[in-house]
Amino acid sequence: MRFRHERIDSHPPCDHLGFCLTTDLTGSGRPDVIVGGHGPFGREPITSDDPPLRRLRSLIERRFRAVHETQTKLFWYENPGWERHVISPDPTLKLDVAGTLHDVSGNGRLDIVAGEGLNDHDIYWFEQPTDPRAEWSKHHVTSRFEKYHDVAFGDVDGDGDAELVGLSQESETVFYYDVPDDPFQEPWPDSHLTVVDDDIRVEGLAIVDVDDDGRNEILAGTQIYHQPSSAGQEWTREAVATGWDDNRVAVADLDGDGELELVYSEGDSPALGSRLGRVAWFDRDGDDWTGTFLHEELVNPHSLQVGDFTGSGSVDIYVAEMGISDNENPTHYLFVNDGECQFEERVVADGVATHEAKAVDMNDDGRLDVAGKSYGPTLQTAHVDVWYNEP
């Protein structure tokens, strides 16, 4: 089994690409691909007070700003054909990994909610116009925290409405906002903000009723946050596992027993972690979680998706490497489920890095494909891709 690779853009308008989302914006019946980015990958560190080096630092900063202001940071590709459209021409955007889709305005069209990365503090939502090919309006949500690695929507307070849940790594905060009755007010009021935890740095976010108690939990990294049972009480934190580096998280019933299992991959390891990246699935065993490792020598597996890739009726696990840390052959793996959580490891693609890839049927043939893009670091190496799952 191999995935057929198609490069849909060899020259995207931004070098540091953060999030990747898929949805059908045009009503064609096929999902389009949305990409948000940050602009130039980073500045060269110069800390000396020596006058010539200060002048060099100033020159680098000016060039950095000049390049930043020429790049488009939010755009999408129309399926089929992959024509690129600009969502926002705002050159000041610095979007990173935190991006999600939700009908914020309540008009029946999906909008984009996206947060900024390291050294930046803003979350915005972008209102989808009647014609998605037109420019989308930008609205400010908050600048309360720094570096939003993940955002998602789900009902986490039991009121029947979806809240905006976010993870701020630099502020070490798990939080959510109730969407105001008037979501166009800027920023959203602090009275709509709830801080769930303010002493933990995590990445990887899912909102799901993992314990089947009728209330959604917040899965943040390898932690599970349970809603208070009554007003005035605090959220409770449960550790699924300890000793994990920054990770991605996915949730599915892997063994068909009607209960949900959790899947983790250490997406930034070894680049920002303590070891080569691991991927494992966890099953609840009474009050504890038991982990089963599928691979322990991955290089920054920042793409993690679950779904039935083979048509067997069982949920498989897809993991792909992001192509940093001197990885000359970034690899895409599919762990094929036999229905009883015995997984066969298959290499389904290699040689092309991807980051935050999504599993979705791109060509309406009934099989899950993959859409993804590079992470960085330059325009010369940036790309957007699709891998087709073919028999």
Side-chain angles (χ1 to χ4, degrees), residues 141 144 157 159 163-164 175-183 185 187-195:
V141 173
R144 181 72 175 268
D157 61 7
D159 66 354
E163 287 75 46
L164 170 60
F175 65 92
Y176 69 86
Y177 274 91
D178 286 285
V179 180
D181 291 337
D182 176 13
Q185 59 182 296
W188 289 1
D190 285 347
S191 60
H192 287 241
L193 169 66
T194 297
V195 173

Side-chain angles (χ1 to χ4, degrees), residues 123-141:
I123 296 177
Y124 301 101
W125 72 275
F126 299 84
E127 181 185 7
Q128 184 183 162
T130 304
D131 181 356
R133 302 171 186 85
E135 182 178 337
W136 300 33
S137 299
K138 183 184 76 170
H139 307 279
H140 186 222
V141 173

Side-chain angles (χ1 to χ4, degrees), residues 348-365:
V348 292
D350 58 10
V352 179
T354 196
H355 173 260
E356 282 298 286
K358 298 297 185 289
V360 63
D361 183 359
M362 300 299 298
N363 55 1
D364 196 29
D365 65 356

Side-chain angles (χ1 to χ4, degrees), residues 159-373:
D159 66 354
D161 296 321
E163 287 75 46
L164 170 60
V165 182
L167 308 182
S168 169
Q169 287 185 310
E170 290 302 299
S171 301
E172 298 184 338
T173 302
V174 179
F175 65 92
Y176 69 86
Y177 274 91
D178 286 285
V179 180
D181 291 337
D182 176 13
F184 296 94
Q185 59 182 296
E186 302 182 53
W188 289 1
D190 285 347
S191 60
H192 287 241
L193 169 66
T194 297
V195 173
V196 175
D197 197 351
D198 61 0
D199 68 348
I200 189 167
R201 181 192 182 280
V202 289
E203 67 178 68
L205 176 63
I207 302 169
V208 65
D209 181 7
V210 73
D211 56 8
D212 198 29
D213 66 350
R215 296 179 296 176
N216 283 332
E217 282 73 47
I218 298 174
L219 279 59
T222 56
Q223 310 297 315
I224 300 176
Y225 290 91
H226 297 271
Q227 292 185 39
S229 57
S230 61
Q233 293 184 339
E234 295 183 352
W235 288 69
T236 57
R237 186 169 87 187
E238 172 191 4
V240 176
T242 59
W244 277 68
D245 294 335
D246 292 338
N247 58 270
R248 314 311 293 146
V249 58
V251 185
D253 180 4
L254 298 175
D255 55 13
D257 64 355
E259 298 179 354
L260 295 174
E261 285 75 48
L262 311 182
V263 187
Y264 296 110
S265 68
E266 291 176 304
D268 295 316
S269 296
L272 302 177
S274 58
R275 65 178 74 82
L276 287 169
R278 303 175 295 177
V279 58
W281 65 275
F282 287 79
D283 192 15
R284 186 182 285 279
D285 183 13
D287 293 332
D288 300 317
W289 291 86
T290 301
T292 301
F293 286 89
L294 300 177
H295 204 305
E296 298 183 61
E297 295 184 342
L298 299 172
V299 184
N300 306 298
H302 210 289
S303 292
L304 172 65
Q305 296 283 282
V306 292
D308 182 4
F309 284 82
T310 63
S312 67
S314 298
V315 178
D316 309 306
I317 299 171
Y318 163 84
V319 180
E321 298 173 324
M322 66 190 287
I324 58 175
S325 299
D326 297 323
N327 185 4
E328 295 182 356
N329 189 43
T331 303
H332 303 227
Y333 297 90
L334 187 66
F335 298 92
V336 178
N337 188 353
D338 69 354
E340 297 181 357
C341 279
Q342 299 298 312
F343 290 91
E344 176 191 349
E345 177 186 313
R346 300 182 187 178
V347 173
V348 292
D350 58 10
V352 179
T354 196
H355 173 260
E356 282 298 286
K358 298 297 185 289
V360 63
D361 183 359
M362 300 299 298
N363 55 1
D364 196 29
D365 65 356
R367 291 187 293 269
L368 285 177
D369 308 302
V370 172
K373 82 288 174 307

